[in-house]
Amino acid sequence: AQSVTQLGSHVSVSEGALVLLRCNYSSSVPPYLFWYVQYPNQGLQLLLKYTSAATLVKGINGFEAEFKKSETSFHLTKPSAHMSDAAEYFCAVSDGGSSNTGKLIFGQGTTLQVKP
Amino acid sequence: ETGVTQSPTHLIKTRGQQVTLRCSSQSGHNTVSWYQQALGQGPQFIFQYYREEENGRGNFPPRFSGLQFPNYSSELNVNALELDDSALYLCASSTGMETQYFGPGTRLLVL
């Protein structure tokens, strides 16, 4: 069975500091991995995805994530935090369609706070 | 190109009632997935519809049901509402098993 663990339910950084949000996954098949962002009272917006191509994935708004199979990790980073990055971030894993649904399994989420 | 839309945005029901939530998929997408997001939690997969047929279901009771129409829009129906059904209901559309794009959600409150 697939699962996702996001380490740290709350992360606080200063504006301009490095953002690091941690995600570890468990999957019996080659996974597809995603990061989504959710702003208050909104749906989920796709930040980036890994689908077995390059292990370093670049997304929108300056975010990137690196797939590390040996560590079963897919951590999200951004070199310099902006106030507008404050939101809830979700890591998700999919079986890529091997179960014929490609359903997403989400982590519990990490709230990113950016201090001025 | 129109994104995923959902209606209504908010809804208040009482325990035991029935509710229907609606989702219009993004242009060109033939697959709709529904998720339930309880407060402070990650979204949980309810079910998926592909070309008008249910194509996978999560751990939700039969009182959660759905439909997909020929234009690929979809409905989520919940019967016999319980207090724990209070949540944000998210619809996502995709082309088959490709990346899912989410709508803004419907926030349901059951009193």
Side-chain angles (χ1 to χ4, degrees):
Chain A
Q2 295 176 303
S3 65
V4 172
T5 301
Q6 292 184 238
L7 301 174
S9 58
H10 288 81
V11 171
S12 181
V13 301
S14 297
E15 191 174 19
L18 172 71
V19 175
L20 171 60
L21 305 183
R22 300 178 186 274
C23 172
N24 287 89
Y25 70 91
S26 172
S27 178
S28 58
V29 299
Y32 287 9
L33 293 159
F34 305 81
W35 276 98
Y36 285 87
V37 61
Q38 185 175 37
Y39 297 100
N41 300 313
Q42 294 188 28
L44 303 178
Q45 180 182 6
L46 179 69
L47 276 177
L48 50 80
K49 63 181 180 181
Y50 166 78
T51 56
S52 74
T55 57
L56 181 62
V57 181
K58 295 187 183 298
I60 62 171
N61 301 339
F63 284 94
E64 63 181 37
E66 186 173 8
F67 172 70
K68 292 187 176 180
K69 184 178 179 180
S70 62
E71 299 177 8
T72 61
S73 68
F74 190 58
H75 302 331
L76 181 70
T77 61
K78 181 174 180 178
S80 177
H82 192 272
M83 296 297 291
S84 61
D85 295 327
E88 187 82 11
Y89 291 80
F90 291 96
C91 180
V93 64
S94 163
D95 58 17
S98 65
S99 68
N100 205 35
T101 66
K103 71 178 183 181
L104 294 171
I105 307 296
F106 285 88
Q108 291 288 85
T110 297
T111 301
L112 176 64
Q113 179 187 24
V114 182
K115 298 176 291 185
Chain B
E1 181 179 290
T2 307
V4 180
T5 61
Q6 293 185 243
S7 62
T9 56
H10 295 82
L11 204 52
I12 299 175
K13 292 287 189 178
T14 56
R15 196 170 48 181
Q17 285 188 312
Q18 178 265 342
V19 69
T20 298
L21 311 182
R22 295 178 175 83
C23 171
S24 292
S25 59
Q26 187 168 314
S27 176
H29 288 182
N30 56 16
T31 303
V32 172
S33 303
W34 286 92
Y35 294 82
Q36 180 195 65
Q37 185 180 17
L39 198 61
Q41 304 292 319
Q44 299 286 319
F45 176 74
I46 303 175
F47 46 56
Q48 182 182 87
Y49 279 83
Y50 172 65
R51 295 186 174 181
E52 303 180 57
E53 297 287 331
E54 186 178 289
N55 184 46
R57 188 179 184 90
N59 189 27
F60 281 82
R63 58 189 186 83
F64 285 78
S65 63
L67 284 173
Q68 188 178 33
F69 300 99
N71 67 355
Y72 303 129
S73 65
S74 176
E75 287 183 354
L76 164 65
N77 299 290
V78 186
N79 293 322
L81 283 167
E82 301 178 359
L83 297 180
D84 285 349
D85 295 334
S86 295
L88 180 68
Y89 288 85
L90 295 164
C91 163
S93 76
S94 59
T95 302
M97 302 305 116
E98 298 298 316
T99 302
Q100 296 182 23
Y101 294 90
F102 285 81
T106 294
R107 190 164 296 281
L108 173 64
L109 177 61
V110 182
L111 301 175

